[in-house]
Amino acid sequence: MAHVNEIQKAAFAFSVVVGMAMPAHAADRSPTVVELFTSQGCSSCPPANANLGRISRRPDVLALSFSVTYWDYLGWKDTFGKPEFTKRQITYEPALNQPGPYTPQMVVNGLATTVGNRLDDVEALLAAAQPLNGPSLALRGGTVQVGSSETTLPADVWLIRYDPAIEAVPVARGENRGSTLPHTHVVRRLDRLGMWNGRRASFTLPASEHGLKTAVLVQRPNGGPILSAVTD
């Protein structure tokens, strides 16, 4: 019972921090996409998880938490980690002029990056982020509708399924041994739906698991900038 109480306390404290986030002044533009690459085996990551929780409440931000797998060797296998999430981060690094992947890393609109536990730096990137100006996106009837554009440069269409709830995970080994780590906006599924080439297109979405939200990104290949984003 004491163990359960510790988990409940951690989740409650995290929810208070998230609830204190200030709403954005402008919510009439496409969301700014913030991707956190994190790991339950990384001792520097809990503050970054909390920072993502803070900004996730903003209506102009699409916050996504990707758990990577390269810290699993420390003795704790991240309960949300998947190789495809690690691959996504690694793909970003050359385009962002990074020597290699690290945690906690935040990437904004696929264009800028900073250490995720530095809230001031994250907020500065958000303030400087330009509105996404790619094709229109609409989630409708089990499909995503992608609008047309004058551009002929190709872009990938990504489906993301994520959990907006707060989930507290007790960690038994690794750098965070003995801690209970709250998470939110955890990505559970990442799929490439296909290629968009500037013409109007429609992509069928697989059925979603209960409780998960859907997001779709249109993004230049090989870790390029995000052009458009939508979430339900």
Side-chain angles (χ1 to χ4, degrees):
M1 181 63 69
H3 183 61
V4 173
N5 288 339
E6 289 178 4
I7 296 176
Q8 292 174 336
K9 289 177 181 178
F12 175 75
F14 188 78
S15 66
V16 170
V17 170
V18 171
M20 292 172 62
M22 296 300 292
H25 295 293
D28 56 352
R29 68 179 194 178
S30 298
T32 298
V33 182
V34 179
E35 300 172 70
L36 170 64
F37 294 95
T38 184
S39 173
Q40 295 164 4
C42 161
S43 61
S44 301
C45 286
N49 296 343
N51 287 343
L52 190 78
R54 288 184 176 94
I55 65 176
S56 71
R57 297 278 296 190
R58 294 176 45 155
D60 63 337
V61 167
L62 170 57
L64 301 169
S65 177
F66 289 90
S67 291
V68 298
T69 57
Y70 48 82
W71 291 119
D72 290 358
Y73 80 94
L74 293 177
W76 177 257
K77 183 176 175 60
D78 193 296
T79 58
F80 304 125
K82 292 186 177 182
E84 56 264 39
F85 303 162
T86 303
K87 181 179 178 181
R88 180 169 178 83
Q89 184 187 22
I90 291 173
T91 301
Y92 266 133
E93 304 307 350
L96 295 173
N97 295 314
Q98 298 292 307
Y102 68 91
T103 55
Q105 180 183 24
M106 281 192 187
V107 178
V108 177
N109 284 346
L111 286 169
T113 185
T114 190
V115 179
N117 54 19
R118 299 174 182 169
L119 183 58
D120 289 346
D121 290 351
V122 174
E123 291 180 337
L125 289 184
L126 290 176
Q130 297 297 308
L132 301 180
N133 58 2
S136 62
L137 291 175
L139 297 169
R140 185 178 299 120
T143 66
V144 58
Q145 308 294 321
V146 186
S148 60
S149 172
E150 294 180 357
T151 183
T152 57
L153 295 175
D156 295 316
V157 181
W158 291 99
L159 167 65
I160 296 171
R161 292 276 165 66
Y162 67 97
D163 187 352
I166 297 171
E167 183 169 350
V169 178
V171 177
R173 294 179 296 279
E175 291 185 352
N176 291 311
R177 179 178 61 254
S179 299
T180 299
L181 306 182
H183 301 70
T184 190
H185 286 234
V186 174
V187 175
R188 298 299 185 90
R189 179 170 178 172
L190 174 67
D191 296 293
R192 182 180 176 275
L193 296 176
M195 184 73 73
W196 174 78
N197 60 7
R199 295 192 294 270
R200 187 179 300 275
S202 177
F203 297 88
T204 300
L205 304 179
S208 179
E209 296 179 38
H210 178 72
L212 298 187
K213 297 194 70 174
T214 296
V216 174
L217 310 179
V218 177
Q219 183 173 20
R220 296 288 186 214
N222 302 317
I226 294 172
L227 307 179
S228 303
V230 67
T231 188
D232 58 8

